[in-house]
């Protein structure tokens, strides 16, 4: 008896909240180290730090400045929580789905490379840039020809053929744009 096959894992993208939190902690740690170093060397707190601490200590919770800062901190915290929970685009895409247990998957970058290789074979194409998005493949074709309509149609047909051959799960269409280059 076989063990059940696990599906591709979709992990949330946590890089932006992590970077923001790391920068905030780095700034707070640097400030604290500088204040502690000044206190150890001179025996007193820096003048600016003393006046700031006095001003913060004398502020009431109902003052406008405290409420504004609390609101900004709350909004930043909420945004960081939402960004941590928002699912990121999975790095791998399942291709060639069938009834056989197991999955075949490629990275989005490799899928874009496979589509680019197919579109580059079209006559009149100078170069191709392909990006695999969440639900579509974006294809940008550069051509030196004056009449771009036949090249666009042939590139769209090749991109659709490549997607039909690979059958990537979740990617249903391609968008082909063409530009004239000299």
């Amino acid at each position: 008896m076989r063990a059940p096959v696990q599906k591709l894992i979709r992990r949330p993208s946590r890089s932006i909240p992590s970077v923001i939190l790391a920068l905030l902690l780095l700034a707070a740690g640097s400030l604290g180290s500088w204040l502690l170093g000044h206190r150890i060397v001179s025996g007193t707190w820096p003048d600016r730090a003393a006046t700031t601490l006095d001003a913060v200590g004398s502020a009431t919770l109902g003052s406008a400045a405290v409420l504004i800062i609390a609101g900004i901190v709350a909004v930043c915290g909420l945004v960081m929580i939402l960004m941590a929970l928002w699912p990121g685009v999975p790095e791998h895409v399942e291709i060639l789905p069938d009834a056989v247990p197991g999955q075949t998957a490629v990275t989005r970058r490799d899928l874009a490379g496979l589509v680019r290789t197919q579109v580059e074979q079209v006559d009149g194409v100078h170069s191709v840039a392909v990006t695999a998005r969440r639900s579509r493949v974006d294809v940008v074709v550069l051509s030196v020809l004056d009449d771009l309509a036949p090249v666009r149609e042939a590139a769209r047909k090749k991109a659709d053929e490549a997607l039909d051959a690979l059958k990537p799960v979740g990617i249903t269409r391609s968008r082909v744009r063409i530009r004239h280059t000299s």
Side-chain angles (χ1 to χ4, degrees):
M1 189 156 128
R2 293 185 179 183
V5 178
Q6 294 180 348
K7 291 287 185 185
L8 292 173
I9 299 170
R10 178 174 290 227
R11 293 196 170 109
S13 176
R14 293 182 176 92
S15 59
I16 293 175
S18 298
V19 168
I20 292 171
L21 184 60
L23 289 174
L24 289 174
L25 291 175
L26 180 67
S30 299
L31 178 64
S33 298
W34 176 73
L35 288 173
L36 181 63
H38 190 277
R39 172 77 178 189
I40 290 172
V41 171
S42 67
T44 61
W45 293 108
D47 293 335
R48 282 189 175 177
T51 57
T52 303
L53 289 175
D54 288 340
V56 169
S58 66
T60 62
L61 290 178
S63 69
V66 171
L67 292 176
I68 290 172
I69 291 173
I72 291 172
V73 169
V75 168
C76 289
L78 182 63
V79 167
M80 289 178 68
I81 288 171
L82 289 176
M83 290 180 76
L85 296 176
W86 192 275
V89 177
E91 184 179 343
H92 292 86
V93 176
E94 182 182 357
I95 60 170
L96 304 172
D98 53 13
V100 178
Q103 292 174 303
T104 304
V106 296
T107 63
R108 289 183 180 276
R109 184 182 205 176
D110 290 341
L111 177 65
L114 293 169
V115 172
R116 184 182 67 242
T117 302
Q118 292 296 316
V119 175
E120 283 175 342
Q121 296 175 4
V122 173
D123 288 336
V125 171
H126 181 264
S127 64
V128 180
V130 180
T131 306
R133 303 271 183 217
R134 188 177 292 273
S135 63
R136 73 170 185 256
V137 174
D138 289 334
V139 181
V140 178
V141 177
L142 298 177
S143 178
V144 294
L145 298 178
D146 292 331
D147 188 16
L148 299 177
V151 178
R152 177 187 300 119
E153 188 59 34
R156 186 192 56 75
K157 184 177 177 186
K158 276 290 194 180
D160 289 341
E161 285 175 5
L163 290 177
D164 288 341
L166 295 172
K167 298 179 185 86
V169 174
I171 298 178
T172 57
R173 60 191 173 94
S174 64
R175 180 175 72 174
V176 177
R177 293 178 291 167
I178 191 162
R179 287 191 237 156
H180 187 278
T181 187
S182 52

